[in-house]
Amino acid sequence: FILGNLILSTCSINRIIPKIDNGLSLENATTLKHAIEIVQNMGKIIISTGEYIESNYHIRPSITALANHLNISQSYLYRVFFEEFGMSPKEYLNRFCMEQAKMLLRTSDMNISQIAAAVGYTDVLAFSAFFSKRKGCSPTAYRERTKKAEQGM
């Protein structure tokens, strides 16, 4: 789930090559070089997006800030990210924050307000609503349930 040291999948390459082959010969080295550059650029954007989100999730960066950081348009960022992962950068941020919150609830003694702040929420009620909507239970209930599961109850 976390991007880390992402290597572009063959799916990305397979989606790019047909676009190049429309009206152009793959035997043309310039065209193939251009295809490789496109794939490499997409990979850099995806990796940079993941790294930026994973380094700044605690401040809940906007997609505008992310696109500005990468010096690309929001629509291009969305398109590249969605083509590779089937989700928007915002959804990736939300999932990443949820995973961090769940990890903190399982492994730390931080209170819910501290965990909310750690994943970028200044309002504990907004965090609880976010968590409940995605997990189907409150952060406190999740913590209690996971602790009971660890104790074998």
Side-chain angles (χ1 to χ4, degrees), residues 4-24:
N5 295 323
L6 174 71
I7 297 173
L8 277 180
S9 67
T10 55
C11 294
S12 294
I13 294 169
N14 290 336
R15 283 194 304 267
I16 296 297
I17 296 300
K19 291 178 185 176
I20 291 167
D21 201 25
N22 286 338
L24 299 172

Side-chain angles (χ1 to χ4, degrees), residues 2-3 11-12 16 27 31 33 37 48 54 67-68 73 77 91 93 109 121 125 132 138 141 143:
I2 298 173
L3 294 175
C11 294
S12 294
I16 296 297
E27 295 171 8
T31 302
K33 181 180 177 195
E37 288 171 358
S48 296
E54 291 170 16
N68 288 343
S73 72
L77 171 62
E91 179 61 20
L93 171 63
D109 291 328
Y121 280 87
L125 294 176
S132 296
S138 70
R143 175 177 268 169

Side-chain angles (χ1 to χ4, degrees), residues 84-137:
E84 186 63 27
F85 295 106
M87 74 177 87
S88 68
K90 185 70 169 179
E91 179 61 20
Y92 180 83
L93 171 63
N94 286 334
R95 289 183 184 191
F96 187 82
C97 287
M98 176 58 75
E99 291 305 311
Q100 295 301 308
K102 287 171 26 184
M103 184 268 305
L104 290 171
L105 287 164
R106 285 190 311 270
T107 63
S108 78
D109 291 328
M110 295 168 70
N111 66 41
I112 305 304
S113 295
Q114 292 169 323
I115 292 172
V119 297
Y121 280 87
T122 55
D123 179 358
V124 72
L125 294 176
F127 168 72
S128 291
F130 165 79
F131 193 95
S132 296
K133 181 178 179 185
R134 290 182 169 264
K135 285 304 296 174
C137 65

